[in-house]
Amino acid sequence: MPFSLTDAQFRLARALGLSRRAWSSLRTRGWQQTWQRVVLRLQRTLRRAPTDAIPLWRPPHSADQALPTFVEAERAPVASIVIPVHNHLGHTLECLRALAAAPPEATMEIIVVDDASSDDTAALLPRIAGLRYHRHERNGGFIAACNTGAALARGEVLVFLNNDTVPQPGWLDALLRTLREVPRAGIVGAQLVYPDGRLQEAGGVVFRDGQAWNYGRFESPDDPRYGYLRDADYISGAALAIPRALFDAVGGFDTRYAPAYYEDTDLAFAVRAAGHRVLYQPGARVLHDEGTSAGTDPSTGMKAAQARNREVFALHRRQELAAFPPADELPGPGTLHRGQRRILIVDESTPRPDHDSGSLRLVALMRMLLEEGAHVAFVPADGRHAGRYTRELQATGVETWSEPWTGGIAHWLRRHTTRFDVAMLSRHFVAAPLLPLLRRHAPRLRVLFDSVDLHYLRERRAAELAGDAAMLAIARRTRSRELAVVAAADATLVVSPAERELLAADAPGARVELLSNLHRLSARTAAWEQRHGVVFVGGFHHPPNVDAMRWFLTGVWPRIRAQAPMLDFHCIGSDPPDDLRAHHGRDGVQVHGHVADIAPWMDGCRVAVAPLRFGAGVKGKINLSMAHGQPVVATTVAAEGMHLHDGQDVLLADDADAFAQAVLRAHEDADAWSRLAAGGRANVERHFSVDAARETVRRLFLAAD
């Protein structure tokens, strides 16, 4: 690949940035914690997800080849799986064994429509317990068999499934979850893979002349281009889910395409015309032995109907097809997302929203952009596949990249940047080396710098608290670099009014916009009498949190326990240092580390604390507690820029005695607790909700230049 001077400058800037961050970490955390962070990062890098051909599951074969059995639902099932068959009994049995061996969470019924098979299908399938079997005496073709099965179905959702498939575990729940959770979802289709593990189809593409294209054919199913939920032009009828009411409303599979081919494509167009979306869900993976029934030669047999039906389809849908791309344009992400506002986001690593508030904010922002109809791509600067966090982003519809597919972020930007309208770079040490690359490869791109929090402000406060002249010098150098990024970006995002005021003085010519934390209020909150105990939430890779807990556990908590000896304190957050772990089990302290689900503590503890003595930005831990109706006791620094008022929606205290008394008051006074809980929720709704940020997001990301 070509290597430019800009690429060399990027790599040099990246290396220098890493060395500066390492030196800063040594000063603020000490060598032991810095070394632990280096080891942890190396371990995560070595645990990158495999990118070779995926291991495909097949149902186990019993020695006696016993027939599968199914449990009939007592009531109408959630899903009715319709399997049209014509001969090929061996394939049908393997498909049925797969369904029986890995059943979904949802209730289902299996309907096999035998389209006049001449093999042993009619003799064997009626013997399968729990299977609904229906036979056509004359062969009517795929469309007729599917429509018959739909008419027999009792489920809320119809799932059409070819008999030459092996659905992978979890496939049906992924389809149903998408229909349930994605607004206006009308059709959801699976990722189809060949028996050798290569990709067969990642949603279909349709061209202006009516030709259809299996997007991703023969590529790797692990390629990020094919790994995220997205709208598709059509979904293959080999594995397709649709609400039964919608299928009936659009008239089912159109018989003008009988016996088969283009009926699934036309169904997608009918569903879109009815105001619904047609979605490809890679989380639903289905092995498909393509061509078992109809072969693969388009000139003979039933396959010959494909060419004829293309002309029928092109004539029937000629008005809609006029807006589609010509057949000479090779499909890619740029083609797929035509007509959408396309947003690129780069951060240091893939967000982990259950670990830190910055990740929670970023994921909420991406979800909001998707809700607004934009296409969002995310590239982590470290290139690492983050396991379930990467997959969860993809499942929401974010085009999420990782190595080796990027080929290095500089290479990726050179190839892809021109297809985006807006790019947001998070954190100054990520943005500084990338900005020149963006300006080089896409000079008209709108570039936003998301500060996350102003690092130089946090570093300066830490240095002043510690009285460390070397740390203060580091903060001054960070200030120069951070302000240089502010000056180079088209706009800078900050999370608090205090930081916006600071930049008004330090970078008076820059455009600075407020985009704070983004939270959704908990639907239900527990009452005062249903709660007990005190909680702190915060990851311990963040130095302000480490300092806060050391101060609280040694200076504040002993004062609280002296007056309330039965009170418990829960410390939650990833990677607590050894000196904090040493408090576990003593004096009512529980040091939990990272927990997968924080809701039990948000809804079960009576009071949250934010005893930070330095820092910057807006504290997600405060927003999170208040969104759950949990009052917060905080320091002035922790509450900075959060529109909070002492005694109304928060209790503020900065010395150990006052902080302890505030915790006891919030915990024991039911009236004060109720007032603070209501005030905190109102504060989040007013200043830190998704709706509160919507106008700013639309202006920065979605408005054309």
Side-chain angles (χ1 to χ4, degrees), residues 636-696:
T636 305
V637 168
E640 181 182 61
M642 299 192 69
H643 313 280
L644 294 169
H645 301 89
D646 188 20
Q648 178 178 321
D649 39 30
V650 71
L651 293 182
L652 299 178
D654 289 317
D655 67 76
D657 280 327
F659 204 99
Q661 292 306 312
V663 171
L664 289 166
R665 176 187 172 198
H667 194 276
E668 301 302 326
D669 187 334
D671 291 338
W673 185 94
S674 297
R675 183 175 62 256
L676 293 168
R681 281 176 62 86
N683 176 270
V684 172
E685 185 174 20
R686 189 180 308 114
H687 299 290
F688 302 104
S689 67
V690 170
D691 288 337
R694 203 172 295 279
E695 181 181 345
T696 299

Side-chain angles (χ1 to χ4, degrees), residues 95 103 111 161 188 199 386 424 480 545 549 563 598 645 692:
C95 178
I111 302 171
L161 185 68
V188 183
L199 184 61
M424 186 184 85
S480 297
N545 289 339
M549 275 300 92
Q563 298 182 58
I598 203 170
H645 301 89

Side-chain angles (χ1 to χ4, degrees), residues 89 114 117 119-127 133 135:
L89 177 60
D114 180 359
S117 295
D119 60 5
D120 291 335
T121 296
L124 199 59
L125 293 193
R127 294 163 46 193
Y133 173 81
R135 179 174 171 83

